[in-house]
Amino acid sequence: MPLLKLVFLGTGGAVPRADRMLPAIYLEDWLGHRILLDAGEGVQYRLFQIGVAPSSLTLVAVTHMHEDHVLGLPGLVITAKFLGGKVKLLGPRSAHGILSRLGVDVADSYDGGRLKIRCVEVCHTVDACGWLLEWDVGYKLDLKKVEGLPKWALTKLIRGGGGGGGGRVIRPEEVADPAHKRYRRLLYTGDTGPCPRMLKTVGEVDVLIHEATFADDVDPKKAHEEGHSTVADAIEAAKALRAGVLVLTHISARYTDKARHRQLAGRVPPPPHVYVPDDFDTLLVQL
């Protein structure tokens, strides 16, 4: 089954704490992609701590140019070069000129065949991308409908191509299990307030990693004016996107611990299953 590994290298907001570093999430999929979502200050050291060399990353996806999300980039890029690699970078189009000065290739989308990544505009105080990752896991075939077909034809059908049978080409949609989803999706919002256009653009996801800078002790209007969300906002987004898993991150330093966030998350009946990770927590998600 498709499996994602998420390691939360930094779960804090703009101001770090001794136990809560600046935003960075390491993602590894079952296809071998190694992706870094945002690059808070000192992120290369945290990668080494989990046994990942910067030069081994498939790409780094930066949501926006606020310092807490990008200050780790220069060191990461330089170290990757020393180790014989070259960082590929995704970022908002308005930031491509600045980011390219690091000597990296910059784009706003990625096509890795079975994995595609694209920018989804979110609602922050500056130009910002949420990153939508979409995996093509192929079709699950209804075995009763494909009896007698050769192995090569079954393989083509699973991968989305036409298979041969009885002198005609069979389309995968004709023999697929209707309950199976071909595409699995994860959305990482980065910093955002409640964002109807983001929800409309994305549709549905399996996993939502949403910022929850504030709990319930801050006036939501004030949070939104600053381009941020509360726990309640993130939960509403997860419901709108029909996410099975919701991860809350980018927690303000005003909270000495995450008890308040976890208490609010614990009141939500699944789905979604809500997680509030600490730095260096690992979450395995079966899609």
Side-chain angles (χ1 to χ4, degrees):
M1 292 293 292
L3 186 69
L4 293 183
K5 177 182 179 180
L6 297 167
V7 185
F8 299 91
L9 302 178
T11 60
V15 179
R17 293 178 55 89
D19 60 347
R20 196 180 307 155
M21 301 297 286
L22 297 176
I25 301 171
Y26 173 73
L27 181 153
E28 187 172 325
D29 69 11
W30 69 99
L31 301 172
H33 296 100
R34 292 182 161 196
I35 295 167
L36 183 65
L37 301 171
D38 276 328
E41 185 178 3
V43 69
Q44 64 173 320
Y45 301 102
R46 285 171 273 161
L47 285 170
F48 282 127
Q49 284 179 262
I50 63 169
V52 176
S55 56
S56 72
L57 293 173
T58 306
L59 59 88
V60 179
V62 173
T63 55
H64 63 291
M65 293 302 294
H66 279 161
E67 290 83 352
D68 54 320
H69 293 255
V70 298
L71 282 180
L73 273 178
L76 181 74
V77 169
I78 292 169
T79 299
K81 289 180 180 178
F82 283 149
L83 295 176
K86 185 177 182 180
V87 174
K88 295 180 181 178
L89 194 58
L90 299 184
R93 288 189 180 181
S94 61
H96 285 192
I98 295 173
L99 293 172
S100 63
R101 295 177 188 173
L102 294 171
V104 297
D105 297 325
V106 188
D108 59 2
S109 63
Y110 170 79
D111 188 344
R114 293 175 64 186
L115 169 63
K116 293 179 172 58
I117 305 175
R118 65 183 175 93
C119 170
V120 176
E121 185 181 0
V122 296
C123 298
H124 195 39
T125 56
V126 297
D127 187 24
C129 285
W131 292 109
L132 181 64
L133 288 73
E134 182 177 78
W135 290 268
D136 183 351
V137 301
Y139 288 90
K140 181 179 179 182
L141 304 181
D142 184 332
L143 298 181
K144 293 180 180 179
K145 296 179 180 179
V146 293
E147 286 185 22
L149 290 182
K151 185 176 180 180
W152 65 265
L154 296 177
T155 300
K156 286 188 67 176
L157 287 166
I158 290 171
R159 293 178 178 175
R168 72 183 184 91
V169 175
I170 301 172
R171 294 184 297 109
E173 294 85 356
E174 299 175 43
V175 293
D177 180 345
H180 178 74
K181 293 193 303 181
R182 179 179 178 183
Y183 297 100
R184 309 299 165 87
R185 310 170 92 206
L186 176 149
L187 175 65
Y188 170 54
T189 66
D191 291 5
T192 186
C195 197
R197 66 172 177 261
M198 176 190 75
L199 301 178
K200 184 177 180 180
T201 299
V202 172
E204 294 185 11
V205 299
D206 298 280
V207 181
L208 175 62
I209 305 174
H210 199 293
E211 76 122 281
T213 304
F214 302 109
D216 61 350
D217 57 326
V218 173
D219 183 349
K221 184 178 179 181
K222 182 178 186 299
H224 303 164
E225 287 174 351
E226 295 179 6
H228 290 299
S229 295
T230 65
V231 172
D233 295 327
I235 290 170
E236 287 304 310
K239 290 178 178 178
L241 295 171
R242 302 183 68 179
V245 173
L246 169 64
V247 179
L248 303 180
T249 188
H250 200 271
I251 311 301
S252 170
R254 68 188 287 147
Y255 304 103
T256 57
D257 59 36
K258 298 178 180 178
R260 196 159 192 155
H261 284 68
R262 292 192 172 106
Q263 182 182 39
L264 294 170
R267 297 175 185 170
V268 182
H273 296 276
V274 188
Y275 299 91
V276 188
D278 290 319
D279 283 20
F280 287 106
D281 279 358
T282 296
L283 178 64
L284 299 177
V285 181
Q286 185 171 298
L287 294 177

